[in-house]
Amino acid sequence: MSTAVDDRAEPLLEELLADLQLERAGLPGSGPAPAAGRAGGLAAEAARLGLGPYLDELLGAGPPVPGTRTLLDLEADEEGRRRSHTRWRAEARDLTVQVWDWLADRRAEAAPGRPWWSTRSAFPLPEGSLHALTAATAAPAPLAPLARDWARTAGIADGTAEHNWRWLMLGKGLLPPGTPLPGLNQLITGLVERLRDRRLLPAEHRVKVLRRPNSPSMVQAVRLPGLSLLSIPTAVTPVTVQYLQHELGHLAEHALRPPGAPLAQRWSFDPVRSEGWALLLEHLVRSPAVLRELGTGPSAAEAVARFLAQEERFSRGLMAVDAALDTALDGVTTPAAALARAAELAARTGLSWAPELLLLRQVRMLQWRAYLAGYAWRDSALAALTTRFGPDWPASAEAWALLRAALAGTGSAADFLHTLRTPHHTDASRP
């Protein structure tokens, strides 16, 4: 293929990737027909540029990832949550064989010495991050005491019931009735202003916000840099500020991608770096002072700050069970045996946790390991920043310039930490 043809094909491929992302989010693309119809003519160019596996992923090549359609109703009263959970568990139970077959196929096709969850990664994982992801394990710990403490505050009899602890870990019932929290628009405005002040979210990077009730918050890249989608739930709970800050961290990484980098590099994100960076920003909104600045009342800010620290311990405990189950499934050959292993590990937490729902989480193993490894990366980044700039580093313009310099590259999690520890330049002098 000649250079002239390649030069014309790359913008068409960028347009195709954007349209596929938009359509996956339920939004119209740029053309009158579905973008998938254009993919065949650009498959060779995608492969040449190192984007073939990613294009296949967007097109849904291979067996679909198993998942339920039922969402746990986290806004209903306890009886409503119980009914919702019953439907959700029944659907997961019906999917158990499909989930196991999917996992078994992925495990069987893994290359020797490579974890199964890395075998179909759209972009190669850096060796250092692959090691960190593999090593991201911890012994399952009792989580029931935290759930019971939350339940006492919320006036609920059994905090360990799954339909309740999933509600409680959002901070539901944490604050006395009538205690105001900032509105969603106020939170978004305040958090975005903080990013703009630190030049982490350039004004030219457009963000389309999708508000979807009772859904998890998430960010989806459309053009890099240029445009991202931010999907957020409509209800504000004590964890909303943390979730929003986390997703805005991903937006900043999208927005600061170097536009001149090769297309595949712009789309390749080291999961340890991405989650670690988002967790670093998330950590900064947990102080009562920041929560008050964002519109949370003084007494509520103290309670929310305490809860957010507890919620991290709880979430990390859940993901430790995920990683432990991944290891425990080695050598397992039947769905029934897989469910038995899941039930055994769930019991160690002291929580009622349906083994069907725990097993279903295995299809997202790369994500859970990225979080676990990301927490360790965040702690290393915090240590590097504190060593260089002191405990008040969040007030240092030079520290944020150094973070921008690291974020604006396409390197690995290890490269990012190397920049923080041995900075070679910053852009602190720029206006």
Side-chain angles (χ1 to χ4, degrees):
M1 186 179 288
S2 70
T3 302
V5 174
D6 292 347
D7 289 344
R8 291 194 301 270
E10 185 165 329
L12 293 176
L13 182 58
E14 284 197 84
E15 193 70 34
L16 174 64
L17 294 176
D19 285 353
L20 288 171
Q21 296 281 13
L22 290 170
E23 290 173 10
R24 190 165 68 167
L27 299 172
S30 61
R38 310 198 305 267
L42 291 168
E45 182 66 8
R48 187 186 71 80
L49 293 173
L51 286 159
Y54 186 57
L55 182 59
D56 289 342
E57 180 181 296
L58 292 178
L59 292 170
V65 179
T68 61
R69 295 185 179 182
T70 299
L71 292 175
L72 182 61
D73 188 351
L74 295 172
E75 302 302 324
D77 58 18
E78 183 169 0
E79 186 53 39
R81 293 194 301 275
R82 194 192 311 275
R83 289 193 301 268
S84 172
H85 178 265
T86 299
R87 292 192 299 270
W88 188 31
R89 182 175 183 179
E91 188 177 355
R93 187 182 302 117
D94 290 341
L95 286 171
T96 294
V97 172
Q98 181 183 342
V99 170
W100 177 247
D101 287 346
W102 187 92
L103 289 170
D105 287 345
R106 296 292 289 268
R107 286 170 168 269
E109 70 184 19
R114 305 288 287 189
W116 68 268
W117 39 262
S118 71
T119 55
R120 291 192 189 175
S121 180
F123 298 98
L125 297 170
E127 284 300 318
S129 291
L130 181 59
H131 175 75
L133 291 162
T134 304
T137 57
L143 300 175
L146 262 181
R148 292 192 184 103
D149 285 345
W150 293 339
R152 279 192 290 271
T153 301
I156 291 176
D158 185 6
T160 65
E162 188 165 10
H163 65 273
N164 282 333
W165 62 256
R166 289 185 180 277
W167 184 78
L168 291 164
M169 69 184 292
L170 295 179
K172 300 282 193 171
L174 172 71
L175 303 175
T179 303
L181 286 171
L184 189 61
N185 287 343
Q186 182 180 357
L187 277 178
I188 293 174
T189 299
L191 290 170
V192 168
E193 284 178 353
R194 293 171 72 85
L195 289 188
R196 302 269 194 223
D197 288 345
R198 292 160 175 168
R199 301 213 303 278
L200 290 172
L201 190 58
E204 59 269 21
H205 189 84
R206 295 181 296 127
V207 179
K208 184 172 182 59
V209 178
L210 307 176
R211 302 194 181 199
R212 292 172 169 165
N214 210 26
S215 64
S217 56
M218 61 173 291
V219 156
Q220 188 172 321
V222 177
R223 293 181 184 278
L224 292 171
L227 172 64
S228 299
L229 299 177
L230 170 61
S231 178
I232 52 177
T234 53
V236 173
T237 76
V239 294
T240 300
V241 61
Q242 179 174 282
Y243 288 174
L244 284 176
Q245 179 79 330
H246 187 99
E247 301 307 333
L248 290 173
H250 290 315
L251 281 180
E253 192 175 16
H254 294 175
L256 295 178
R257 289 270 108 165
L263 193 56
Q265 284 187 24
R266 274 184 273 153
W267 278 96
S268 177
F269 290 89
D270 178 341
V272 178
R273 165 187 150 142
S274 292
E275 295 304 337
W277 159 251
L279 290 167
L280 173 63
L281 282 191
E282 186 182 304
H283 180 78
L284 299 182
V285 297
R286 292 183 180 171
S287 77
V290 172
L291 291 166
R292 287 195 299 271
E293 289 174 9
L294 293 168
T296 306
S299 61
E302 295 287 343
V304 170
R306 285 194 302 272
F307 170 76
L308 292 178
Q310 294 174 334
E311 189 274 339
E312 177 178 315
R313 294 201 300 275
F314 196 86
S315 293
R316 292 177 76 165
L318 297 179
M319 289 181 283
V321 177
D322 292 316
L325 180 56
D326 179 28
T327 300
L329 290 177
D330 289 344
V332 170
T333 58
T334 67
L339 286 178
R341 296 285 174 89
E344 177 188 350
L345 288 169
R348 296 184 193 178
T349 66
L351 302 173
S352 296
W353 192 350
E356 302 92 338
L357 292 168
L358 176 53
L359 182 64
L360 181 60
R361 284 169 61 95
Q362 286 288 297
V363 303
R364 300 172 67 188
M365 179 49 56
L366 180 57
Q367 180 180 358
W368 307 135
R369 287 189 177 276
Y371 268 96
L372 287 171
Y375 280 117
W377 185 95
R378 177 203 66 185
D379 293 342
S380 296
L382 285 172
L385 290 163
T386 301
T387 297
R388 184 169 180 82
F389 302 105
D392 294 328
W393 72 263
S396 166
E398 188 179 358
W400 287 106
L402 185 58
L403 283 166
R404 285 195 300 274
L407 197 64
T410 59
S412 67
D415 295 332
F416 196 119
L417 284 180
H418 180 74
T419 299
L420 297 186
R421 290 167 175 156
T422 55
H424 50 84
H425 75 277
T426 69
D427 61 354
S429 62
R430 286 168 43 194

